[in-house]
């Protein structure tokens, strides 16, 4: 058979079926030779337990095989893409056996025109003139090019085209008055529709804070429920930012706007996370919880990961390479040629996210980068090859210790990036935060199973943020009520979680009358009796959100059902959508008169809610919610310092521990059992 020719068979014994046994560690793997290669490569995130006994030269050999296979796949994909992009109308007509007979046919430009635009030079001129006019509109008004990606951009063009020749756009006054009022009314109407679900699901009030170096403090208030998140208003709290009395009154007014009976929790970001404010809300509203922002907590963990000595040096070395490439147009073109059009860095929603996403990207392009810097195109065909920075890049890319550190950094950070993705974007994720954090910590234990010092370094960082900044009784109760956790036979809750669960019940059901028959309902749920145990309920656990699951199958426990729906319908984080802080600053400027401020407030209300709607739609797509569409050309991965010193990137560090995949170990241990993972 063809697979017999694969040289990797010398490292394994074939067993019955599609199983193989590794000759180094005797582990039996399902999936044949392909699975074995990932096992021997010890690469992170490949879905296979790493081999702990394989020799380094074998690992390097297997990685080269995998890289060459990936190269061939990407090359084929790029060729197909380029062929489709540059196919001209003439080529299309030839391939279909037809010829373009028009004497006015223009030279092929690489654009594919529709049938009505290739009929003559006049139509082509109209098409190009329209594009030119749009481009001028962007340039004259200094508009961000990313606007062309928005759905409303193409909708506008389509709508204007339907109006035909002679259409005149709305005037300045019409935009500022009539259309501003109309669009605001449409957005407000959507908000009113969402409010109807609060009686069942409750809602979360979110407070986002921004401060600048002039001691200005702006607080944006949003409200979130399962359907979506809405922007409510922006408040300038500069004059009383540190005054608990004024802040308490402000939050009282916001809670009253939504109705205390509807609010389940208030999420306060790190800037406002002060005990006095939280205590005021907890004491005055018996059924409301105050929790910190989970995505900010994850970002805090990743920031401290970046500050670990060897991780920091690895990032600096990687940035030395990216700066050299992105600050030279010829190098940038060469890099994209060697990578098949891919960039080697990624811009994330925070600095630490950018660091680890970029390390992931560079690790993926490892073989191509090394090949580029050792190619004739660079060594003899580029004037930049003689620069000191070029020698620095070559030295870094040829350094195995750098790549081992990059692999290790990616492996340690990826589980927490995953948690950040899950808790961001407005999804009701409160029922999963406990499990996600446990899996992330278990991943570190697995990766550093032979290195207690490094394991402790990273786990101490995680524990500090979890215990001091994130953990809430609401998270415990949500974990207990989540059917995917409750009915997992490998999970056993330890007493601290049950205690938090009962605390939440007493808070939401304050009187004995409210708690009538509650014990029997809890037993019915925890033992999976009645509707809880029917086949439909079991099948739906992994296909619907926990809140909807309770709505559909919790009728036998009506009181517990009411609590479960309200708890499990809440988000964990403040919004991750792009914020235009300059816009907020303009609104609160003392130089503006009352009418200007009202207009700008309306504009902000529309703008932010449209952004939130777009963010909700993109979160349901395959787009990475942590990654920005465009590379930040002012980031530390691109922008050079005034006096760069190539030598500083040549720092070396000790060998990284041979590690494996964080995501491969089956989660067979108890999540909340005898292993006191969170030290509660």
């Amino acid at each position: 058979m063809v697979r017999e020719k694969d040289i990797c068979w010398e490292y394994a014994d074939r067993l019955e079926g599609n199983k193989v046994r590794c000759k180094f560690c005797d582990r039996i793997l399902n999936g044949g030779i392909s699975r074995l290669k990932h096992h021997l490569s010890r690469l992170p995130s490949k879905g296979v337990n790493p081999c702990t006994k394989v020799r380094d030269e074998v690992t390097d050999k297997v990685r080269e095989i995998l890289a060459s296979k990936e190269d061939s796949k990407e090359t084929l994909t790029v060729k197909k893409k380029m062929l489709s992009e540059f196919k001209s109308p003439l080529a299309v007509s030839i391939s279909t056996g037809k010829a373009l007979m028009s004497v006015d046919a223009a030279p092929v430009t690489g654009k594919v025109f529709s049938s009505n635009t290739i009929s003559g030079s006049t139509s082509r001129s109209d098409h190009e003139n329209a594009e030119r006019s749009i481009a001028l509109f962007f340039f004259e008004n200094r508009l961000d090019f990313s606007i062309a990606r928005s759905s409303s951009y193409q909708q506008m063009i389509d709508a204007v085209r339907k109006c035909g020749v002679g259409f005149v756009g709305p005037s300045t006054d019409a935009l500022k008055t009539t259309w501003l009022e109309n669009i605001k009314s449409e957005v407000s109407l959507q908000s009113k529709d969402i409010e109807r679900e609060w009686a069942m699901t409750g809602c979360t009030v979110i407070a986002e804070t921004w401060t600048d170096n002039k001691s200005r403090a702006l607080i944006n208030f949003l409200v979130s429920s399962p359907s979506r998140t809405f922007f409510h208003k922006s408040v300038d709290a500069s004059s009383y930012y540190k005054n608990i009395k004024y802040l308490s009154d402000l939050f009282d007014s916001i809670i009253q706007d939504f109705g205390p009976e509807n609010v389940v929790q208030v999420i306060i970001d790190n800037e406002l996370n002060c005990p006095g404010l939280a205590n005021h809300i907890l004491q005055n509203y018996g059924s409301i919880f105050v929790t910190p922002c989970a995505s900010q907590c994850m970002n805090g963990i990743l920031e401290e990961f970046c500050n670990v000595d060897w991780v920091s040096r690895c990032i600096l070395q990687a940035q030395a390479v990216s700066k050299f490439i992105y600050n030279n147009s010829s190098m940038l073109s060469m890099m994209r040629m060697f990578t098949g059009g891919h960039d080697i860095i990624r811009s994330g929603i925070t600095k630490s996210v950018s660091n680890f996403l970029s390390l992931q990207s560079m690790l993926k392009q490892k073989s191509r980068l090394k090949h580029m810097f050792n190619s004739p195109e660079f060594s003899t065909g580029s004037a930049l090859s003689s620069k000191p920075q070029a020698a620095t890049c070559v030295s870094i890319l040829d350094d195995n210790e750098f790549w081992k550190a990059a692999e290790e950094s990616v492996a340690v950070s990826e589980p927490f990036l995953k948690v950040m993705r899950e808790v961001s974007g407005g999804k009701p994720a409160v029922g999963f935060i406990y499990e996600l954090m446990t899996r992330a910590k278990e991943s570190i234990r697995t990766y550093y199973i032979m290195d207690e010092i490094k394991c402790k370094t990273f786990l101490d960082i995680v524990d500090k943020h979890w215990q001091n900044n994130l953990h809430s009784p609401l998270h415990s109760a949500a974990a207990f009520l989540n059917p995917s956790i409750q009915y997992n036979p490998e999970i056993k809750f330890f007493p601290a979680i049950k205690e938090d669960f009962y605390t939440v019940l007493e808070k939401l059901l304050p009187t004995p009358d409210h708690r009538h028959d509650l014990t029997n309902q809890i037993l019915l749920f925890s033992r999976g009796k009645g509707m809880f145990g029917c086949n439909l309920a079991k099948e739906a656990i992994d296909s619907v959100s926990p809140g909807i699951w309770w709505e559909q199958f919790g009728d036998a426990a009506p009181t517990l059902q009411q609590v479960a729906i309200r708890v499990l319908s809440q988000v964990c984080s403040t919004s991750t959508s792009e914020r235009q802080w300059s816009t907020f600053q303009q609104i609160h400027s003392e130089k503006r008169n009352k009418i200007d401020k009202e207009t700008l407030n309306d504009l902000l209300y529309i703008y932010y809610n449209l952004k939130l709607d777009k963010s909700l739609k993109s979160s349901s797509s395959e787009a990475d919610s942590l990654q920005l569409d465009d590379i930040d050309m002012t980031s530390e991965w691109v922008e050079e310092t005034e006096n760069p010193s190539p030598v500083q990137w040549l720092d070396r560090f000790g060998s990284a521990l041979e590690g494996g995949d964080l995501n491969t170990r089956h989660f067979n241990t108890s999540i909340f059992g005898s292993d006191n993972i969170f030290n509660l």
Side-chain angles (χ1 to χ4, degrees):
M1 299 176 67
V2 176
R3 63 181 180 181
E4 294 288 353
K5 298 179 182 179
D6 198 311
I7 63 173
C8 289
W9 278 110
E10 65 177 285
Y11 308 129
D13 297 319
R14 188 187 313 144
L15 304 177
E16 292 182 3
N18 200 26
K19 296 181 179 180
V20 294
R21 178 190 288 114
C22 175
K23 289 185 178 180
F24 295 102
C25 65
D26 292 328
R27 180 183 290 274
I28 297 175
L29 305 167
N30 290 315
I33 195 66
S34 176
R35 199 84 166 166
L36 174 76
K37 289 177 184 176
H38 292 307
H39 172 66
L40 297 178
S41 72
R42 297 185 297 192
L43 289 171
S45 304
K46 291 297 182 184
V48 185
N49 282 305
C51 183
T52 57
K53 298 182 180 180
V54 63
R55 301 189 302 273
D56 287 343
E57 63 268 21
V58 174
T59 295
D60 292 340
K61 186 176 181 180
V62 173
R63 289 184 181 183
E64 288 178 6
I65 294 172
L66 291 173
S68 63
K69 185 177 180 181
E70 194 171 320
D71 283 346
S72 62
K73 287 182 178 179
E74 290 204 6
T75 301
L76 183 61
T77 302
V78 171
K79 285 182 178 179
K80 289 181 178 179
K81 183 180 179 182
M82 291 176 66
L83 184 62
S84 63
E85 287 179 351
F86 290 100
K87 216 171 203 182
S88 67
L90 181 60
V92 173
S93 64
I94 292 173
S95 66
T96 56
K98 299 177 181 179
L100 294 175
M101 301 302 294
S102 173
V103 295
D104 294 322
V108 174
T109 61
K111 291 185 179 180
V112 180
F113 297 96
S114 61
S115 58
N116 62 335
T117 58
I118 63 173
S119 60
S121 59
T122 303
S123 296
R124 280 197 298 275
S125 178
D126 289 345
H127 181 93
E128 291 173 1
N129 188 52
E131 287 195 357
R132 179 180 179 276
S133 299
I134 293 172
L136 283 174
F137 175 72
F138 271 75
F139 303 152
E140 181 183 353
N141 295 283
R142 295 179 297 174
L143 299 179
D144 190 331
F145 298 149
S146 63
I147 291 173
R149 294 196 191 100
S150 67
S151 58
S152 57
Y153 172 70
Q154 188 58 44
Q155 289 173 8
M156 173 186 67
I157 293 174
D158 292 341
V160 171
R161 186 168 54 196
K162 289 181 180 178
C163 291
V165 179
F167 172 76
V168 178
S171 65
T172 302
D173 288 339
L175 287 171
K176 192 175 182 179
T177 56
T178 305
W179 284 110
L180 182 63
E181 183 178 342
N182 289 349
I183 300 298
K184 182 187 176 184
S185 298
E186 291 177 12
V187 175
S188 299
L189 197 59
Q190 294 175 8
S191 175
K192 295 296 181 184
D193 290 339
I194 299 299
E195 289 179 18
R196 297 190 182 97
E197 72 181 10
W198 293 354
M200 175 181 288
T201 66
C203 64
T204 292
V205 174
I206 299 171
E208 296 179 336
T209 310
W210 175 68
T211 57
D212 63 11
N213 55 8
K214 297 181 180 179
S215 300
R216 290 174 60 86
L218 308 180
I219 305 175
N220 296 327
F221 289 97
L222 302 93
V223 59
S224 182
S225 53
S227 293
R228 63 167 292 182
T229 299
F230 273 94
F231 171 76
H232 181 55
K233 68 178 179 180
S234 180
V235 176
D236 184 354
S238 304
S239 59
Y240 51 85
Y241 182 56
K242 298 298 181 181
N243 189 311
I244 299 300
K245 173 65 170 62
Y246 281 103
L247 285 177
S248 298
D249 291 343
L250 172 62
F251 275 77
D252 283 341
S253 68
I254 297 296
I255 291 173
Q256 293 300 324
D257 286 344
F258 302 122
E261 70 281 1
N262 293 321
V263 179
V264 175
Q265 70 170 337
V266 177
I267 295 180
I268 300 177
D269 66 13
N270 293 343
E271 294 293 332
L272 277 173
N273 194 8
C274 51
L277 178 59
N279 290 336
H280 169 82
I281 296 173
L282 293 173
Q283 290 173 6
N284 286 272
Y285 304 97
S287 61
I288 296 178
F289 297 86
V290 178
T291 57
C293 173
S295 59
Q296 283 191 344
C297 177
M298 293 303 104
N299 190 60
I301 290 172
L302 293 172
E303 281 182 350
E304 289 207 42
F305 282 6
C306 290
N307 293 332
V308 173
D309 183 58
W310 61 267
V311 178
S312 176
R313 274 179 281 184
C314 176
I315 292 171
L316 290 176
Q317 287 176 306
Q319 288 174 348
V321 177
S322 66
K323 287 176 182 178
F324 178 66
I325 292 173
Y326 281 86
N327 281 279
N328 299 284
S329 58
S330 60
M331 283 302 304
L332 186 58
S333 298
M334 188 184 301
M335 180 271 292
R336 287 173 175 162
M337 180 183 71
F338 274 83
T339 62
H342 295 288
D343 280 296
I344 60 168
I345 60 176
R346 301 283 185 269
S347 290
I349 58 176
T350 66
K351 177 181 174 181
S352 58
V353 170
S354 294
N355 287 341
F356 290 116
L357 289 180
S358 294
L359 281 180
Q360 283 183 17
S361 182
M362 288 190 68
L363 194 59
K364 183 178 180 181
Q365 304 295 340
K366 172 184 175 181
S367 61
R368 300 168 185 82
L369 286 173
K370 294 179 71 173
H371 181 43
M372 179 182 73
F373 276 96
N374 289 290
S375 68
E377 290 91 334
F378 174 73
S379 57
T380 61
S382 173
L384 295 169
S385 59
S386 60
K387 287 184 173 292
Q389 295 95 327
T392 301
C393 292
V394 171
S395 177
I396 291 171
L397 295 174
D398 286 341
D399 185 2
N400 289 331
E401 298 301 327
F402 164 72
W403 289 112
K404 285 184 179 180
E407 289 177 10
E408 195 172 345
S409 300
V410 168
V412 171
S413 62
E414 176 55 32
F416 296 93
L417 290 173
K418 181 180 179 181
V419 177
M420 199 169 178
R421 288 186 185 97
E422 292 297 323
V423 301
S424 302
K427 296 182 293 185
V430 70
F432 297 97
I433 184 67
Y434 238 119
E435 180 184 11
L436 290 168
M437 287 295 292
T438 305
R439 287 182 181 273
K441 291 191 63 173
E442 186 68 14
S443 295
I444 291 180
R445 286 195 178 91
T446 302
Y447 192 76
Y448 287 122
I449 194 169
M450 300 297 292
D451 193 329
E452 292 184 6
I453 295 177
K454 283 189 175 181
C455 184
K456 185 176 187 303
T457 297
F458 288 105
L459 289 183
D460 284 350
I461 292 173
V462 177
D463 286 336
K464 179 181 70 175
H465 283 271
W466 169 260
Q467 294 168 5
N468 297 338
N469 301 327
L470 182 57
H471 173 63
S472 163
L474 196 66
H475 299 148
S476 299
F480 189 88
L481 291 167
N482 187 341
S484 66
I485 297 176
Q486 181 67 234
Y487 296 138
N488 188 334
E490 297 167 354
I491 295 174
K492 181 181 179 182
F493 295 99
F494 52 74
I497 285 187
K498 288 187 176 179
E499 185 176 340
D500 280 347
F501 168 63
Y502 294 137
T503 300
V504 170
L505 288 180
E506 291 181 1
K507 188 177 177 74
L508 296 180
L509 303 170
T511 66
D513 290 341
H514 289 124
R515 300 191 291 267
H516 175 68
D517 197 37
L518 190 58
T519 301
N520 290 332
Q521 294 182 30
I522 295 172
L523 287 174
L524 198 66
F525 165 63
S526 60
R527 294 176 180 177
K529 301 295 184 180
M531 288 180 64
F532 293 120
C534 72
N535 290 332
L536 285 176
K538 293 176 181 178
E539 293 166 1
I541 286 177
D542 296 322
S543 60
V544 300
S545 67
I548 292 177
W549 186 90
W550 268 95
E551 184 180 344
Q552 295 297 316
F553 304 105
D555 293 350
T559 304
L560 191 61
Q561 180 189 45
Q562 179 185 357
V563 171
I565 292 174
R566 290 178 72 84
V567 169
L568 293 168
S569 297
Q570 307 313 312
V571 296
C572 291
S573 302
T574 58
S575 168
T576 58
S577 66
E578 181 184 0
R579 301 163 194 138
Q580 300 290 335
W581 291 116
S582 59
T583 306
F584 299 128
Q585 201 168 20
Q586 290 174 13
I587 288 172
H588 299 292
S589 172
E590 294 179 358
K591 296 179 181 180
R592 295 193 174 275
N593 61 41
K594 185 176 180 181
I595 295 177
D596 276 345
K597 287 186 177 181
E598 289 177 354
T599 300
L600 283 171
N601 268 305
D602 289 344
L603 280 171
L604 177 61
Y605 179 80
I606 294 171
Y607 166 81
Y608 208 160
N609 281 308
L610 289 176
K611 283 285 186 181
L612 288 167
D613 186 46
K614 178 184 176 183
S615 176
L616 178 67
K617 291 175 181 176
S618 63
S619 66
S620 60
S621 66
E622 295 182 359
D624 188 347
S625 61
L626 302 185
Q627 184 177 318
L628 302 181
D629 292 330
D630 299 307
I631 292 175
D632 180 5
M633 301 306 285
T634 64
S635 76
E636 295 176 342
W637 287 84
V638 178
E639 195 170 56
E640 291 183 316
T641 56
E642 292 184 4
N643 298 304
S645 174
V647 179
Q648 72 186 68
W649 312 115
L650 296 176
D651 292 340
R652 295 293 179 262
F653 49 92
S655 298
L657 173 72
E658 290 180 341
D661 174 24
L662 297 185
N663 303 315
T664 56
R665 179 174 174 183
H666 292 298
F667 203 59
N668 293 326
T669 57
S670 168
I671 293 183
F672 310 123
S674 57
D675 184 9
N676 196 344
I677 293 177
F678 291 99
N679 299 316
L680 297 177

